[in-house]
Amino acid sequence: LMFDLDPEPIHQIQNGKFSNLFFSDALIIGKSKGSTFSKNYNQDDTEIVLEKIRKISEKCNGLQGFNLFHSIGGGTGSGFGVHLMDQL
């Protein structure tokens, strides 16, 4: 599952030479509410991402964990990433 608030990286993956390595329904473009931690901590997109994670997880025979890569330096990615980790 790949989620980004900036549509450009997702579009590059969808249209790139390695696009066949990714499921199209596992690429999600969100909507940034701004570049602050608090604005993006309260994102509505969290529910969309959690639902996709649930659907992908249900297909696994022996799910043992998650690898989560997110921005920790402040701003958009850190707020959303922390909120997602809280929900997981």
Side-chain angles (χ1 to χ4, degrees):
L1 176 69
M2 185 173 295
F3 174 80
D4 202 327
L5 297 172
D6 180 11
E8 186 58 31
I10 301 294
H11 291 308
Q12 287 180 359
I13 291 169
Q14 289 171 331
N15 300 322
K17 63 181 178 179
F18 298 113
S19 62
N20 58 342
L21 297 176
F22 298 90
F23 295 114
S24 61
D25 62 338
L27 300 172
I28 304 170
I29 299 170
K31 298 173 194 82
S32 176
K33 292 185 177 180
S35 62
T36 63
F37 179 93
S38 61
K39 286 181 182 178
N40 288 289
Y41 182 84
N42 298 311
Q43 279 266 33
D44 297 331
D45 292 331
T46 308
E47 298 303 319
I48 296 167
V49 173
L50 287 171
E51 181 65 19
K52 291 283 186 178
I53 290 172
R54 183 188 64 77
K55 287 181 179 180
I56 292 170
S57 299
E58 286 178 350
K59 295 178 183 177
C60 296
N61 290 333
L63 180 67
Q64 296 192 14
F66 298 97
N67 287 325
L68 180 64
F69 300 97
H70 69 97
S71 172
I72 58 172
T76 306
S78 64
F80 182 81
V82 168
H83 185 84
L84 185 61
M85 286 192 303
D86 283 346
Q87 296 299 312
L88 287 174

